Amino acid sequence: MQTHDHAMISIRPQYVASILSGKKTIELRRRFIDLSLGSKLWIYSTLPVGAVVGVATLNAVDTDSPSNLWKKYANRTQVSSSEFVDYFQDCEQGVALSLCEIQALEPVNLQTIREIRGVHAMPQVAVRITPEQASCFGRCGAYA
């Protein structure tokens, strides 16, 4: 039986809304941690929300030049071309994370996240979490 990783990924609230609505299925990153396909990404909506609000499965990872990523995924990113260019300025490579099985959760607030993880700081990009921590997010933020 293959086990999959769990990670908490930080995403700005406006993009989280697009992910949870199903409109945004590609999350773009300048860099990303190494995770196996099928891993669970626990979606942390950055401040002012400050909560884990959803979970998605990592379906595919594509590392390529920003221009190629735009050609392949522009219609699935829910970002404008100017936002895309600004974000990838001075980057030779970018990462497109394909998300599937996206589920909203009842929000798990910042204080609870800190207690579950045993740390004060939230990840800037993404951070691995243990299966036990993931289980706590799932229980605390019962699937909406």
Side-chain angles (χ1 to χ4, degrees), residues 58-77:
L58 183 62
N59 189 47
V61 177
D62 187 0
T63 302
D64 206 337
S65 69
S67 63
N68 284 339
L69 292 177
W70 183 252
K71 288 175 192 169
K72 291 187 254 186
Y73 304 113
N75 63 336
R76 296 173 54 198
T77 65

Side-chain angles (χ1 to χ4, degrees), residues 44-62:
Y44 171 73
S45 185
T46 60
L47 294 172
V49 175
V52 170
V53 296
V55 62
T57 299
L58 183 62
N59 189 47
V61 177
D62 187 0

Side-chain angles (χ1 to χ4, degrees), residues 5-11 19 27 29 32-33 35-36 38-44 52-61 97-103 105 125-129 134 137:
D5 295 322
H6 292 270
M8 185 169 59
I9 183 170
S10 294
I11 303 175
I19 289 170
E27 174 62 14
R29 294 295 159 133
F32 198 68
I33 60 178
L35 292 172
S36 62
S39 293
K40 295 294 182 188
L41 297 179
W42 296 84
I43 300 168
Y44 171 73
V52 170
V53 296
V55 62
T57 299
L58 183 62
N59 189 47
V61 177
L97 307 173
S98 177
L99 307 177
C100 66
E101 300 173 0
I102 300 163
Q103 296 179 303
L105 299 174
V125 176
V127 64
R128 290 179 191 280
I129 60 173
F137 288 149

